[in-house]
Amino acid sequence: VEFLGSLKYTIMSSANSVILTSSFPICIPLTSFCCLISLASNTLCNCSSPLLLQDACRWQRKCCWNVPTNTRLTAKLKKLSSPSLFGNDIADALLTAEYQTSSRFHFKITDFNEIRYEVPYENINLVNGTAENSSLSYDIEVIKKPFSIRVLRKSNQRVLLDTGIGPLQFDQQYLQLSFRLPSSNVYGLGEHVHQQYLHNMSWNTWPIFTRDTTPRQGMINLYGAHTFFLCLEDTSGASFGVFLMNSNAMEVTLQPAPAITYRTTGGILDFYIFLGNTPEQVVQEYLEVVGRPFLPSYWSLGFQLSRRDYGGIDGLRQVVQRNRDAEIPYDVQYSDIDYMNGSRDFTIDEQAYPQLSDFAKDLHDNGQKYVIILVCSNTYLGVYFNGSKNRVWIMSSRGFATGEGYAGESVFPDFTNPASLPWWTQQVTEFYNRLEFDGVWIVSYHFRSPKCELNNLNHPPFTPSVLDGSLSVGTLCMDTEFYSGLHYDVHSLYGYTMAKATNLALDAVFSSKRNFLLSRSTFAGSGKFAGHWLGNNAASWDDLRWSIPSILEFNLFGIPLVGANICGYENNVTEELCTRWMQLGAFYPLSRNHNGPEYRDQDPAAFGPNSLLLQSSRHYLNIRYTLLPYLYTLFYRAHTLGETVARPLVHEFYQDPATWAVHEQFLWGPGLLITPVLYEGKEEAKAYIPDAIWYDYETGLAVQWRKQFIDMPLPRDRIGLHLRGGYIFPIQEPNITTEASRKNPLGLIVALDYKREAKGQLYWDDGVSKGTVSEKNYLLYDFSVTSNHLQAKIINGNYVDPNNIMFTDIRILGMDKEPTDCNVLFNDSENFPFFAIVLIISNLTGLKLGQEFSIEWKLVVNDLEKFNCFPEDPAVSEERCKQRGCLWEQTTAPGVPICFYDTIPQYAASNIQYQPTGITMDLTLLENSTSAQAAAAPRVVSDPLSGKINSLRLSVTYHTENMLQVKIYSTSNKRYEVPVPLNIPSSPLGYSENCLYDVSVKTNPFGLQIQRKSSGTVIWDTQLPGFTFSEMFLSISTRLPSHYIYGFGETDHTSLRRNMSWNTWGMFARDEPPLYKKNSYGVHPYYMALEDNSNAHGVLLLNSNAMDVTLQPTPALTYRTIGGILDFYMVLGPTPELVTQQYTQLIGRPAMPPYWALGFQLSRYGYQSDAEIGNLYSAMVAARIPYDVQHVDIDYMDRKLDFTLSPNFQNLSVLINQMKTNGMRFILVLDPAISGNETHYLTFTRGQENNVFIKWPDSNDIVWGKVWPELPNVNVDGSLDLETQLKLYRAYVAFPDFLRSSTASWWKKEIEELYSNPREPQKSLKFDGLRIDMNEPSNFVDGAVGGCRSEILNNPPYMPDLEARNVGLSSKTLCMESEQILPDGSRVQHYDVHSLYGWSQTRPTYEAMQEVTGERGIVITRSTFPSSGRWGGHWLGDNTAAWDQLRKSIIGMMEFSLFGIPYTGADICGFFGDAEYEMCIRWMQLGAFYPFSRNHNTAGTRRQDPVSWNSTFEGYARNVLLIRYALLPYLYTLMHKAHTEGSTVIRPLLYEFTDDNTTWDIDHQFMLGPAILISPVLESIRAYFPRARWYKLLTGSGNNSAGEWKTLEAPLDHINLHIRGGYILPWQVPGMNTYFSRRNFMGLTVALDNDGKAEGQLFWDDGQSIGEYKPPKSLHIVQSNFVTEAQHYFLYLSFVCILGYF
């Protein structure tokens, strides 16, 4: 970092630093401000006079001027020895500093010994007093040697300014001081063309010295001098400003450190530091010092026309008339110097402009105003002699200083001379008597001076980088003399002093009316009496763009009445450029179209009556005039508070770094966003939409963008105008002048924010009178909307408008519900017509300006739009409901929540980026997102569901043309995500043209909408209340396209289609037998929806935390989960079958079962010995009942310990081997819990060695539970109650962590030893498949032996609607704080992964089973999760021997087909309870067509296997199982298609007949693949036959159906089976098991459709090998034989039965 010079000064003290908290000792009278201090000796002197003024104190007495307080520092600075840069170094300097206010610090450095020029203090408002130390927002540190000063923000000790970065240089004509800054966000300094509002800190040096030059690109000093800058520190909004009170020529260098260096040619270093919590506060602090802006007349806010040289009075009148004829709103007409005689002030060119006073009168008669120019270069004799007599001219060594101006050689008034003020007032007054103007604009044209003398004023040793490199170019010589000093010092004050003098003169002219004054040259404080235009710009697109940063800067400087010359001063403008400029200029605070001589006319009507320029100009000027009450109120706030009018986005949205550099848009106040088109040929603007709700001004509709850059479409005739939610805009019906419009009715535009609230003000007075504010002769309304109530309160009501103005129209934007019962209240209540959803209340009467009023309306929430805000307590009290910030309404409608969310959103979407691969956006928590109605309730207790996460990210990824992902997650901290691998393409689509879906983002409130392209059906729409994302509670709702929703599991329910009547279903893996609505073994947060037009789609929420879903008749769905993230996957079908195929493509295709697994299977918990199984097998063979698989439950284990063999089953190995020689297969059960109460139990020992068991967090201690394993050496008394048995007999068990990588190896080792016992080979059990049970995981104690340790995890703030809702998540399972380890080594809580336990066990079990058997095998698991089907099948759990469970088994099977687990079945005849004969027969008939066909029941109930009843039962069972076995080739082919294509095996009728909506509700029949309709006997046998030709499977007779219900005969030995025409079924002569049947002849049943066609497929392999499974062979052409590669034998096709052949 380089700076000119070296550090020059030190404080005369030995200490290195001092915190400024007190001054040197002082002793003065209380009335005195002067005390004598010897700085060198630090001794106290007495003050000789208590009445000394500051100058006398300092310069006559050589005393220090000090205030008697402990908040002032005075110090002498001594120059250190160093080379001189520019000569005339000052050896001793004086530092004075004071805490002026709690947020303002002032310090200055001057010559200790000599008086130097200082800017007169009349330019600033002196503060007589200082702030107490305790109230300060800053700390000051002074480093004594070498001297530097640091300003720190007290709240965070951030260093705001540090002069130690560079040298203090204090010479006679060169002063320099640098500041290190805390950020590069620097704004201000002027006047220049910066091209952007945020400064470029890359070593840019800007000269500050007033100069008459054309605004153009480059670091050129222009008309004004403003040394103030503002620095935004960070996103908190904390900001500060720095103002150097110095009027000498200077330059300011900005560098990337970041740092700033001031270098000036004289005066003193007089700095004011302002601290604020926001940028706007800093501006207000600055204006507290230099003066707040004047309040302009109302008419001056109207549109204004000007040009130099109208060609005479006729040309002037012509322009005025054509704009009147065009009905252009237009208030002010200007005259430039062409109205003067010889360009001399106070003259009129009577030849060119005869009867100019009549012209002015004509303007006044039409309600318009007239403004003239004064150029202040005087050669007019009368004026000259009068001025000379009063000696008001600037002096030189040769007399009056002269220079070349428009009027030739001229003299110039010295407005610092008190004598100039009455003289100037006289001139202005006398001229007004000739020409009744209404305002003045002033410039000081000065082109050339006589040659200046060679001296150190005209040619100083240091010249800043001013234009042309000389201070005297284009102005008077620097050695000319003013009353107040040398031109060298006061040059940049000339415009300020002239404006001040002119303002005083206008006071005399307009004694009771406000002055209107524009000044081209300005200084700090000029805004107190003058506005400003940006000078002689050019008709170029660059100048159009550059006008916005300059206007924002002048608002920063306290001169809000500012604007550029619309359409440009120089050059001929094109219609396109002028149209765009008029659109922008209509929203300049000072809206004036002005151009120079010799250039074409550019007024709005100049391009013709049908021009786009005229139409667009008229349109937007009408909008300006409509909004003038709002703009006028902004000027009132600028005048009284120091607020900006034209406001940069960063002032309102400093939290968003994207706004920091925005300079091609701006705001009117806080509420109106203006987005112009600034580039030639463009019909869109690169715009930033800040973080708020924004309404299109013209449509009243909320835009969907938020906190993002967009390409805003803006055709040639449009500019972007958007109203910010949360603000109320007073408006008035426009007219062509403000005089006329002020008589028109008023109105309000209410732009509601997300809380349906808004605020605003209206300031109103007569628009012209002086003193209305100071004398409180005005109206001030405060408008507010809360709780559906608009209130208009009068803060000050001392003005009565003579025009009897009324409020007649009120528009309320942002209604999210249709209002009712709209009442307007003033004197009496009255109803008025209104229109919703943009609430327009029109034709109001009686609302007189100056009268308070209110408007109330109701927002009735339809029952269908109520979303439960208190799902944990349906009977919640009103008080508790409102404490949560929700609405409460009693209802008698069943299921409708009484406590429901208001539609006020909790999050806002912003930074929405649409990309070819998807969409991304940020979601930001909205502050206090509670309605006023709800917030009115006292918040007595903390809401357990609070703690919402502030910043979220939402991404939409287009994975394939039919699949997309929607993911919502935290950006502030990494949250748990489900570790289940999915088959996602390695990269998303790079295009969306061919996608089946369209995705759009809704922002007000936030919501995501997904639409099917082909039909326009919205399949997902989350623009609903209640979206929440907190640490332990996540909720999102979506509208659904229909009431036809299928899926979500695993729960017991009465229909396949979900009941939408306010039903809530919990999902959390639990050892819970099927009972209505209870969450059972598996978790599947997946559903399929049918749309009204028969299309289908599926949605998966990949989340494994405990959750529930609520379905309501809106139709809508609400998810609530207690952890993780929201990660949705959607597949678009469009048919139900395609939906399932796409879903299984995502989660993984189902495992291919071996052929034998499709055979009938027997099982029972309670076999007493292996002999009992052997006898059962013999009985089944004797009864000739097909039978393939024998299961053995935990009875075979020794004391129910995994991988052991009970003494009662010592011959099980022999039995297995014997039965397998006859083609039988065996499946053994395994539980996950491993006993720890053993001394020689290798399974547990090896598990401990491999660290496989679940443990407590931050501990090596196992989480112990109790399940089936029994203690050693005990005799179990089964007569005792279960709780006593648990306490006395059950062993402590550990639970393997199957997520941990080492566990899989251990588990596989144990399974291997079960299969091939190396120590006791005779106990080797050659199983063919495994059934894994109790893997939710089930625990017979709640949590752990000894209890759980984390209350919040086991009883979270929100308990989903689960069976364990009242007892906690650890009920019947592990403690939620138990720790598990993911494969990547990261630690997770069981709280997150509980429902993955069965899933994590299934894969290693499947892999181990295949490794030890060398065959395909099968694993059947009780607990499942999405993708479990890749490795296993599923049984529907411990059902009951009851008719309703028989019926519900169909629903369960069809749902698991939906979930991608086709190998599914229920326990035939029921697990619990004694089966009844007829029911068991009917269940055997139905179960014969389960994919997994197994009869299984529990100990203590009667046997229910087919040979346990009688011979009749045996016959029924035999017959139906023979049908099954005959159809196994068809079923096997279906299983292969499920494995390779994801097709369903068992499928609802709606899958095949989606166009027939009767099928959408059928769940007592089902299809086996596409071809077989199964109609079991459940209660009656009323069956539906969709449109097709149907054949009875057993007889072949067929009939056509047009879609009809039939009552079928169903004797006890019969189940109705029908084949659908158009399909070919492969079949095989059945055998006693698949080993034998696979050797039998095959046949085909060809069921022709009505066109005589049929098709089908057959897949055939050896039925058991592991490997690739090739596609099935087509049966369009019947083959005579098929060769298997594994067995090398022929299959003989011996039968072909053709049904429907005529």
Side-chain angles (χ1 to χ4, degrees), residues 1128-1234:
F1128 295 96
Y1129 293 82
M1130 303 179 195
V1131 289
L1132 271 287
T1135 67
E1137 186 68 11
L1138 283 173
V1139 167
T1140 301
Q1141 292 177 23
Q1142 292 159 7
Y1143 178 56
T1144 56
Q1145 175 66 34
L1146 172 67
I1147 64 172
R1149 303 288 197 211
M1152 180 67 186
Y1155 198 93
W1156 57 261
L1158 303 183
F1160 180 60
Q1161 309 182 29
L1162 279 179
S1163 178
R1164 177 178 173 85
Y1165 170 43
Y1167 290 134
Q1168 298 300 307
S1169 64
D1170 47 40
E1172 182 179 353
I1173 297 173
N1175 293 334
L1176 173 62
Y1177 170 68
S1178 299
M1180 289 290 286
V1181 171
R1184 295 177 294 108
I1185 298 175
Y1187 160 46
D1188 258 84
V1189 183
Q1190 179 63 54
H1191 290 246
V1192 189
D1193 213 314
I1194 56 174
D1195 314 295
Y1196 80 92
M1197 301 175 185
D1198 184 17
R1199 293 182 288 110
K1200 302 181 177 64
L1201 273 64
D1202 275 349
F1203 309 112
T1204 64
L1205 191 61
S1206 165
N1208 295 334
F1209 286 80
Q1210 290 300 306
N1211 294 319
L1212 182 59
S1213 176
V1214 175
L1215 176 64
I1216 290 173
N1217 293 335
Q1218 289 176 347
M1219 290 174 62
K1220 289 182 73 169
T1221 60
N1222 294 316
M1224 289 294 292
R1225 303 287 180 153
F1226 264 81
I1227 293 178
L1228 303 181
V1229 74
L1230 289 174
D1231 290 343
I1234 304 299

Side-chain angles (χ1 to χ4, degrees), residues 551-573:
I551 285 171
L552 297 178
E553 285 172 347
F554 273 88
N555 274 265
L556 202 66
F557 301 151
I559 308 176
L561 189 65
V562 60
N565 290 328
I566 296 173
C567 299
Y569 179 79
E570 297 180 351
N571 303 327
N572 288 319
V573 71

Side-chain angles (χ1 to χ4, degrees), residues 869-870 876-889 898-900 934 937:
C869 183
F870 227 105
V876 62
S877 69
E878 182 175 1
E879 180 184 15
R880 292 182 65 207
C881 174
K882 290 188 174 180
Q883 285 172 2
R884 185 169 285 184
C886 299
L887 304 179
W888 191 91
E889 182 180 67
I898 61 173
C899 180
F900 49 93

Side-chain angles (χ1 to χ4, degrees), residues 21-49:
T21 58
S22 64
S23 179
F24 293 106
I26 58 175
C27 178
I28 57 175
L30 293 176
T31 58
S32 174
F33 290 98
C34 176
C35 71
L36 186 63
I37 298 175
S38 172
L39 292 171
S41 60
N42 193 24
T43 58
L44 176 67
C45 302
N46 288 322
C47 187
S48 61
S49 171

Side-chain angles (χ1 to χ4, degrees), residues 1454 1485-1486 1488-1490 1520 1523-1534 1544-1553 1564-1576 1584-1586 1588-1594 1615-1628 1645 1647 1655 1699:
M1454 290 193 289
Q1485 291 169 352
L1486 170 61
F1489 300 96
Y1490 289 168
V1520 74
I1523 296 173
R1524 175 190 179 89
Y1525 274 68
L1527 292 172
L1528 284 186
Y1530 173 66
L1531 178 58
Y1532 191 57
T1533 300
L1534 291 177
T1544 54
V1545 176
I1546 296 296
R1547 62 187 66 164
L1549 273 66
L1550 66 89
Y1551 266 57
E1552 291 295 317
F1553 303 96
H1564 62 280
Q1565 298 168 267
F1566 61 96
M1567 301 289 295
L1568 187 60
I1572 299 179
L1573 173 64
I1574 300 171
S1575 305
Y1584 184 73
F1585 289 87
R1589 185 168 182 82
W1590 296 97
Y1591 302 91
K1592 292 182 179 180
L1593 178 69
L1594 298 181
I1615 183 172
N1616 282 280
L1617 307 172
H1618 291 83
I1619 305 175
R1620 180 181 174 188
Y1623 289 89
I1624 302 173
L1625 270 61
W1627 55 272
Q1628 193 167 36
T1645 296
E1655 62 182 10
L1699 307 179

Side-chain angles (χ1 to χ4, degrees), residues 1248-1377:
Q1248 275 195 309
E1249 291 171 354
N1250 288 278
N1251 196 23
V1252 304
F1253 298 118
I1254 295 175
K1255 297 180 178 180
W1256 296 101
D1258 303 319
S1259 168
N1260 201 38
D1261 297 335
I1262 291 173
V1263 179
W1264 297 109
K1266 290 189 175 186
V1267 196
W1268 290 116
E1270 298 165 355
L1271 292 166
N1273 306 315
V1274 297
N1275 294 314
V1276 177
D1277 183 355
S1279 66
L1280 298 175
D1281 62 88
L1282 295 178
E1283 186 174 345
T1284 302
Q1285 290 187 48
L1286 181 66
K1287 182 177 180 181
L1288 296 179
Y1289 307 135
R1290 301 297 183 207
Y1292 282 23
V1293 296
F1295 294 86
D1297 178 4
F1298 289 104
L1299 291 172
R1300 187 191 288 258
S1301 298
S1302 60
T1303 305
S1305 300
W1306 164 81
W1307 185 246
K1308 291 176 182 178
K1309 175 67 175 176
E1310 302 308 316
I1311 290 174
E1312 180 185 356
E1313 294 213 352
L1314 177 66
Y1315 189 83
S1316 301
N1317 193 320
R1319 287 166 298 281
E1320 298 178 89
Q1322 71 279 8
K1323 294 184 178 181
S1324 300
L1325 303 179
K1326 304 296 184 181
F1327 55 81
D1328 301 278
L1330 293 169
R1331 178 169 68 95
I1332 47 179
D1333 199 358
M1334 309 294 287
N1335 56 349
E1336 290 72 32
S1338 177
N1339 189 359
F1340 291 174
V1341 297
D1342 290 342
V1345 176
C1348 298
R1349 304 173 183 179
S1350 172
E1351 174 65 20
I1352 193 170
L1353 291 178
N1354 293 287
N1355 294 281
Y1358 175 72
M1359 268 294 292
D1361 194 357
L1362 307 171
E1363 174 61 18
R1365 191 168 212 172
N1366 297 324
V1367 291
L1369 294 178
S1370 59
S1371 170
K1372 296 177 68 172
T1373 190
L1374 298 178
C1375 295
M1376 294 297 107
E1377 67 269 31

